[in-house]
C-alpha cells in the first residue's frame, strides 16, 4: 500500500487526543457525605461498570474516526507491477460552438484548435477520446486514425 500524501500520516499523533481524554477525564467529582452512605456505594458500584463500558466504546469510536480521517487525507492506493504497464486514454475536448468561427489570423479558431488536437494525437500513443459540443457524452475510445478522422470531420455547430 502506498500513500499519495504520506505527510498526512504525521497527523497520527492526533490519535493521542482521544486516549488523553479517555485516561485523564477532566471531570472532578465532589464527595458528598450522607448519614447512610453505604446505600449509595452499592448504587455507585452497580452503575460504574456500564459507564466504563460506554466510555471504552466512546474512546474506540473517537480513535477510529481519527484513523479514517487521517487515512482519507493520506489517500492510500494499491499498486502492482502489472498496473504500471497499463496505458491511459488521452481525452481531447474541441469547442465547436459558433464563437469558434471568429478569425484568428488567417484561420478561424476552430481550425487552429483542430490543428492543435491533431498534433497531440500524433504525439501520443494511447487510445483517444474526442469530445466536442456535438458529442459531449460520447466517451468512445478511438484509435489514432479514428481520432484524426473525427477531428477532421468537426464543423461549427449552429444552435
Amino acid at each position: 500500500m502506498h500513500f499519495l500524501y504520506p505527510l498526512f500520516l504525521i497527523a497520527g499523533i492526533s490519535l493521542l487526543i482521544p486516549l488523553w481524554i479517555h485516561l485523564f477525564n477532566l471531570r472532578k467529582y465532589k464527595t458528598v457525605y450522607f448519614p447512610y452512605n453505604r446505600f449509595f456505594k452499592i448504587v455507585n458500584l452497580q452503575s460504574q461498570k456500564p459507564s466504563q463500558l460506554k466510555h471504552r466504546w466512546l474512546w474506540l469510536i473517537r480513535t477510529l474516526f481519527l484513523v479514517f480521517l487521517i487515512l482519507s487525507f493520506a489517500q492510500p492506493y494499491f499498486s502492482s507491477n502489472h498496473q504500471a504497464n497499463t496505458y491511459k486514454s488521452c481525452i481531447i475536448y474541441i469547442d465547436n460552438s459558433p464563437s469558434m468561427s471568429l478569425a484568428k489570423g488567417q484561420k478561424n479558431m476552430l481550425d487552429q484548435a483542430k490543428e492543435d488536437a491533431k498534433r497531440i494525437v500524433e504525439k501520443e500513443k494511447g487510445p483517444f477520446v474526442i469530445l466536442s459540443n456535438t458529442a459531449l457524452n460520447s466517451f468512445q475510445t478511438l484509435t489514432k486514425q479514428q481520432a484524426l478522422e473525427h477531428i477532421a470531420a468537426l464543423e461549427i455547430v449552429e444552435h
Side-chain angles (χ1 to χ4, degrees):
M1 179 189 312
H2 301 283
F3 295 96
L4 196 57
Y5 301 106
L7 288 178
F8 275 109
L9 295 176
I10 294 173
I13 297 170
S14 67
L15 294 175
L16 296 175
I17 294 170
L19 179 65
W20 183 74
I21 290 171
H22 180 72
L23 292 178
F24 302 108
N25 202 348
L26 300 177
R27 296 181 193 161
K28 300 268 182 174
Y29 296 106
K30 269 188 177 178
T31 305
V32 178
Y33 296 103
F34 288 101
Y36 290 99
N37 210 3
R38 63 183 173 172
F39 297 120
F40 291 111
K41 286 183 181 179
I42 293 170
V43 170
N44 189 16
L45 289 176
Q46 290 174 352
S47 65
Q48 190 174 9
K49 289 191 182 211
S51 176
Q52 285 178 348
L53 183 64
K54 183 179 100 175
H55 289 300
R56 286 186 183 141
W57 278 108
L58 187 60
W59 172 73
L60 181 68
I61 290 170
R62 285 176 182 160
T63 305
L64 286 176
F65 172 75
L66 285 176
V67 165
F68 289 129
L69 185 68
I70 291 166
L71 286 177
S72 67
F73 277 109
Q75 295 184 8
Y77 65 94
F78 297 99
S79 68
S80 59
N81 293 338
H82 71 335
Q83 288 179 342
N85 297 331
T86 60
Y87 51 85
K88 297 179 182 177
S89 296
C90 180
I91 301 173
I92 300 172
Y93 172 74
I94 300 174
D95 182 16
N96 61 341
S97 65
S99 64
M100 293 294 282
S101 65
L102 294 173
K104 184 179 181 184
Q106 295 177 351
K107 300 177 183 177
N108 65 13
M109 292 174 63
L110 180 64
D111 291 335
Q112 183 64 39
K114 286 165 62 173
E115 285 179 11
D116 292 342
K118 285 179 184 177
R119 260 182 275 154
I120 292 171
V121 169
E122 297 286 332
K123 205 184 303 184
E124 298 294 325
K125 57 183 170 184
F128 300 94
V129 176
I130 308 297
L131 299 175
S132 64
N133 291 348
T134 53
L136 276 177
N137 295 329
S138 173
F139 290 104
Q140 296 177 344
T141 55
L142 306 170
T143 63
K144 188 178 281 196
Q145 185 60 34
Q146 290 171 333
L148 290 172
E149 291 171 4
H150 189 72
I151 291 170
L154 279 175
E155 296 293 327
I156 293 178
V157 177
E158 298 296 328
H159 293 282

